[in-house]
């Protein structure tokens, strides 16, 4: 496209040069008029083609972006149970306290529930769940504050339970006894439920999330499962196991 644009510009320049030569070589008002017309045609041609090329490029770019399909999955993740504590400073108001982003899971274990369903009218294959550790640090100071109990987990018979140890260099989710490993298949009428039992593996402050890998209609992709837009966080004290 760029080379074609340069060819048009060169052609317009040649026409403009021809108009100038014509005006100089052949005297007369009529010749100047002809030269002016040729020059105008050259200028208009160059401008029209350039604008057309720019418009075509913009339309092509918009078409590509518009045709990029969204992920065919909806994933909901939440802490199913566990002890919560707040990273200081603690908000003074009850409303601010309940909605504070400073809440973290405390203890050596955490349990995360995942609900995965398809958003398209065809089956979607879940190829794997992948735990992605974003950071590891020493445990910070925690204020232990009681909150209303979290939502009760779903019936265990409806769940696919997996174990993971965050202290491993590359944490891997492993199915419990009697639970099938991946792949799984979901649809908009048949969602899947997973229960992730997370082990800290020792004292520390671990920030992590879960990648849900999918395959559908020849396409592949990843949906991030996290805590309402923020990664999960598990803090394990050195002094005691909460």
């Amino acid at each position: 496209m760029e080379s074609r644009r340069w060819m048009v510009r060169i052609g317009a320049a040649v026409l403009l040069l021809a108009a100038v030569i014509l005006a100089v070589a052949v005297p007369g008002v009529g010749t100047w008029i002809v030269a002016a017309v040729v020059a105008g045609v050259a200028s208009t041609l160059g401008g029209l083609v350039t604008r057309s090329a720019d418009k075509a490029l913009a339309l092509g770019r918009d078409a590509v972006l518009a045709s990029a399909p969204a992920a065919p999955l909806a994933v909901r993740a939440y802490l199913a149970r566990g002890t919560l504590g707040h990273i200081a400073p603690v908000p003074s108001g009850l409303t601010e306290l309940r909605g504070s982003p400073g809440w973290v899971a405390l203890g050596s274990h955490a349990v995360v529930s995942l609900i995965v369903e398809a958003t398209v009218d065809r089956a979607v294959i879940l190829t794997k769940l992948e735990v992605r550790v974003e950071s590891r640090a020493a445990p910070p100071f925690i204020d232990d504050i009681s909150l209303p109990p979290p939502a009760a987990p779903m019936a265990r018979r409806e769940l696919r339970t997996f174990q993971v140890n965050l202290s491993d260099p590359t944490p891997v989710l492993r199915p419990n006894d009697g639970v099938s490993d991946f792949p799984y298949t979901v649809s908009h009428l048949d969602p899947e439920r997973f229960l992730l039992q997370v082990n800290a593996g020792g004292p520390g402050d671990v920030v992590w999330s879960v990648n849900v890998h999918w395959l559908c209609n020849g396409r592949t992709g990843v949906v991030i499962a996290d805590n309402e837009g923020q990664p999960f966080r598990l803090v394990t004290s050195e002094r005691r196991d909460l």
Side-chain angles (χ1 to χ4, degrees), residues 84-91 96-106 140-147:
L84 295 179
H86 195 281
I87 302 294
V90 178
E96 292 78 8
L97 179 62
R98 290 178 179 273
S100 171
W103 293 107
V104 296
L106 300 181
F141 174 76
I142 298 291
D143 279 339
D144 297 332
I145 301 176
S146 297
L147 275 183

Side-chain angles (χ1 to χ4, degrees), residues 52-112:
S52 298
D54 291 339
K55 185 176 181 180
L57 287 173
L59 290 175
R61 181 176 61 252
D62 293 342
V64 170
L65 293 177
S67 64
L73 288 179
V75 180
R76 181 186 177 191
Y78 58 91
L79 286 168
R81 65 169 180 259
T83 303
L84 295 179
H86 195 281
I87 302 294
V90 178
S92 56
L94 181 59
T95 301
E96 292 78 8
L97 179 62
R98 290 178 179 273
S100 171
W103 293 107
V104 296
L106 300 181
S108 59
H109 295 81
V111 178
V112 172

Side-chain angles (χ1 to χ4, degrees), residues 2 17 33 89 97 123 151 160 169 187 195 233:
E2 185 65 25
L17 180 60
I33 294 175
L97 179 62
R160 313 290 189 178
S187 71
L195 191 71
R233 188 174 179 182

Side-chain angles (χ1 to χ4, degrees), residues 13 24 30 33 38-39 47 59 94 98 103 109 118 124 127 157 164-165 172 199 210 221 233-234 238:
V24 173
I33 294 175
V38 174
L59 290 175
L94 181 59
R98 290 178 179 273
W103 293 107
H109 295 81
V124 180
T127 56
R157 64 181 177 83
V164 63
N165 192 324
V172 176
N199 183 6
V210 180
R233 188 174 179 182
L234 179 58
E238 297 180 353

